């Protein structure tokens, strides 16, 4: 299986030349076997590349631009696809190659979940269970406190009622005392007025008695 990279060595586009150099340089640096095919000087290469690039990958004008990457007859992608695969560290999957031994390849979520190291997974599960238990115990304590507070409500209400009744009783006693005092004062005033009237009457009678004599 040989990787084929279709390039245009005599392209006048600086952007295209940079993209071609980046692809070729990456493959060389990672010691990936590939074949560089020039479409500028070989009509057959240009015709084969244009015919084998899938229709959805072709631009609106129908002419795909280099670099285009194939694995034998299988289309891999253009520069944008290559760049994305390189950034996501899935370049070997992109090229349809088996990764070399000892290479770091990003695992899929399913592979990452089925870890061979069961101890680590077990520890993480137990830690998660411990967290759930802690949360549950916290909720239970909160419910207990609410229950205790609810149980104390009748007692507090009774105390408030007792205090209210005592306050009402005291108010009535104060009112009765005030009324008694007011009645006492009124009686004293009446008595004093009676005495004053009596004295005035006696004073009027005395001059009359003198005239008769």
């Amino acid at each position: 299986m040989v990787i084929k990279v279709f390039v245009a060595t005599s392209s006048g586009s600086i952007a295209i030349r940079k993209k071609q150099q980046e692809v070729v340089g990456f493959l060389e640096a990672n010691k990936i076997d590939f074949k560089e095919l020039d479409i500028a000087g070989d009509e057959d290469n240009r015709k084969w590349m244009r015919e084998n690039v899938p229709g959805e990958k072709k631009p609106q004008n129908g002419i795909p631009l280099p670099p285009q990457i194939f694995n034998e007859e299988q289309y891999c992608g253009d520069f944008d696809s290559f760049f994305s695969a390189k950034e996501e560290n899935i370049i070997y999957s992109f090229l349809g190659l088996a990764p070399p031994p000892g290479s770091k390849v990003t695992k899929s979520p399913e592979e990452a979940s089925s870890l061979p190291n069961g101890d680590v997974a077990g520890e993480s599960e137990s830690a998660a269970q411990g967290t759930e238990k802690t949360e549950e115990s916290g909720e239970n304590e909160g419910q207990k406190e609410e229950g205790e507070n609810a149980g104390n409500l009748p007692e507090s209400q009774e105390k408030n009622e007792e205090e209210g009744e005592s306050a009402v009783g005291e108010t009535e006693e104060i009112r009765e005392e005030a009324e008694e005092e007011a009645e006492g004062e009124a009686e004293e005033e009446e008595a004093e007025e009676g005495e004053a009237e009596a004295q005035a009457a006696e004073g009027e009678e005395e001059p009359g008695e003198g005239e008769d004599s």
Side-chain angles (χ1 to χ4, degrees):
M1 297 174 67
V2 179
I3 301 300
K4 297 178 181 179
V5 182
F6 289 86
V7 299
T9 54
S10 62
S11 174
S13 172
I14 297 175
I16 289 176
R17 283 186 291 181
K18 284 184 177 180
K19 292 177 180 179
Q20 293 173 167
Q21 290 172 1
E22 186 171 341
V23 173
V24 172
F26 179 85
L27 296 176
E28 290 177 345
N30 287 273
K31 298 179 180 179
I32 297 174
D33 293 333
F34 71 97
K35 183 186 293 186
E36 190 173 347
L37 302 173
D38 185 14
I39 63 172
D42 192 320
E43 184 65 25
D44 292 338
N45 289 340
R46 180 167 62 250
K47 184 179 179 181
W48 190 94
M49 183 196 77
R50 291 181 178 180
E51 290 177 352
N52 287 274
V53 171
E56 65 271 14
K57 296 294 183 180
K58 291 180 181 180
Q60 292 180 354
N61 60 7
I63 302 174
L65 299 175
Q68 298 290 337
I69 305 166
F70 290 81
N71 184 338
E72 292 291 350
E73 311 299 323
Q74 184 68 34
Y75 180 70
C76 298
D78 56 9
F79 176 80
D80 292 337
S81 301
F82 166 83
F83 183 81
S84 298
K86 185 178 69 170
E87 291 295 314
E88 295 174 10
N89 199 23
I90 56 172
I91 193 67
Y92 289 98
S93 175
F94 166 77
L95 296 173
L97 300 175
S103 65
K104 294 181 180 180
V105 181
T106 303
K107 293 182 179 180
S108 64
E110 294 179 357
E111 293 175 348
S113 62
S114 59
L115 296 173
N117 189 355
D119 296 337
V120 176
E123 289 176 0
S124 61
E125 289 177 359
S126 62
Q129 292 175 356
T131 304
E132 291 177 357
K133 290 180 180 178
T134 303
E135 293 176 353
E136 290 176 358
S137 62
E139 291 177 358
N140 292 335
E141 290 177 359
Q143 292 175 356
K144 287 181 181 178
E145 291 178 357
E146 291 177 359
E148 291 175 357
N149 293 334
N152 293 333
L153 286 175
E155 296 179 0
S156 62
Q157 289 177 354
E158 290 177 1
K159 290 180 180 178
N160 292 334
E161 290 175 358
E162 291 176 358
E163 291 175 356
E165 290 176 359
S166 62
V168 172
E170 291 176 358
T171 304
E172 290 179 354
E173 291 177 0
I174 293 170
R175 187 182 299 167
E176 290 174 357
E177 290 176 357
E179 290 177 355
E180 290 176 358
E181 289 178 359
E183 289 176 357
E185 291 176 355
E187 291 176 357
E188 289 179 358
E189 289 177 357
E190 289 177 358
E192 290 176 356
E193 288 177 355
E195 291 177 359
E197 289 177 357
Q199 290 176 357
E202 290 176 358
E204 290 176 356
E205 290 177 356
E206 288 177 357
E209 291 175 357
E211 291 176 358
D212 293 337
S213 60

